[in-house]
Amino acid sequence: MEAPHNSPAAKTAPKPAAPDSAAAPASTASAEHGGSAGAVPEAVTVALTVTSPEQMQELGRRLARVLAPGDLVMLTGELGAGKTTLTRGLGEGLGVRGAVTSPTFVIARVHPSLSGGPALVHVDAYRLGGGLDEMEDLDLDVSLPESVVVVEWGDGKVEELSDDRLRVLIDRATGDTDDERREVTLVGIGARWAGLREALG
């Protein structure tokens, strides 16, 4: 069984968004709560609806166009929600080598770029119970400046790596269902992600 994931940042009334072939976004802007006054990073929230694995993969390709070396992406969602499918799209968009599969049994997998761009470091932190100290052997702090680091189940474990990070929360219908619909919430934290809505538009 999976541990429940953290809830997304505080929501405000959504603004209308332009239609897209992969998903129909609705954007909100908010400040992520928690921490002392004045130290709370600005957060930009974009909500999307995805109705198939193909659309989830296409969303990953779209996100890849926004990513740059040094970016930290944290994926949260139940088993089967589409985290690895999204990451596969990221890998395609970044033009990296090797098939992107779940790194559960190796914890981390590095996909070098085939085009001189950033490598994709794909991490599964589900079996790592503690904070950043338990992940020191992965040298993520060393990899981050020149790579795009994507961490599944990273909430509460890798935030110390960067003040600027992109959280991707994927919600799916629960129970015995074949419903492929997913509600995807992108939360860009820090100045790096101030233009997230425009970049995805």
Side-chain angles (χ1 to χ4, degrees):
M1 290 292 293
E2 295 185 352
H5 60 263
N6 295 335
S7 61
K11 296 180 180 178
T12 61
K15 298 178 182 179
D20 184 85
S21 59
S27 305
T28 63
S30 64
E32 185 169 88
H33 296 286
S36 60
V40 180
E42 291 295 322
V44 175
T45 301
V46 178
L48 305 158
T49 297
V50 173
T51 60
S52 69
E54 292 76 21
Q55 286 190 359
M56 185 68 77
Q57 198 159 331
E58 175 59 25
L59 175 59
R61 288 190 286 267
R62 287 175 58 204
L63 272 176
R65 297 197 295 265
V66 180
L67 296 176
D71 283 342
L72 173 64
V73 181
M74 300 164 55
L75 304 182
T76 300
E78 298 180 354
L79 288 174
K83 299 185 297 297
T84 300
T85 301
L86 178 70
T87 307
R88 188 172 298 121
L90 287 175
E92 290 179 1
L94 290 171
V96 300
R97 187 176 70 212
V100 175
T101 59
S102 176
T104 299
F105 298 106
V106 295
I107 306 299
R109 183 175 285 118
V110 179
H111 298 273
S113 174
L114 294 171
S115 58
L120 172 65
V121 180
H122 187 197
V123 181
D124 188 327
Y126 182 66
R127 291 185 292 129
L128 301 177
L132 191 59
D133 288 345
E134 284 195 28
M135 304 186 74
E136 284 183 348
D137 289 343
L138 300 180
D139 289 331
L140 293 183
D141 53 340
V142 175
S143 302
L144 186 57
E146 68 272 6
S147 307
V148 170
V149 176
V150 177
V151 185
E152 298 187 23
W153 304 104
D155 285 357
K157 299 173 183 177
V158 298
E159 286 87 349
E160 295 174 37
L161 284 173
S162 177
D163 290 335
D164 298 292
R165 54 194 179 273
L166 179 64
R167 296 182 66 218
V168 181
L169 302 103
I170 306 174
D171 287 314
R172 56 170 289 189
T174 58
D176 185 13
T177 177
D178 293 329
D179 189 357
E180 298 287 356
R181 182 185 177 94
R182 303 288 188 267
E183 301 299 331
V184 182
T185 305
L186 309 174
V187 183
I189 301 167
R192 162 72 177 92
W193 298 105
L196 178 62
R197 287 194 303 274
E198 294 77 10
L200 287 176

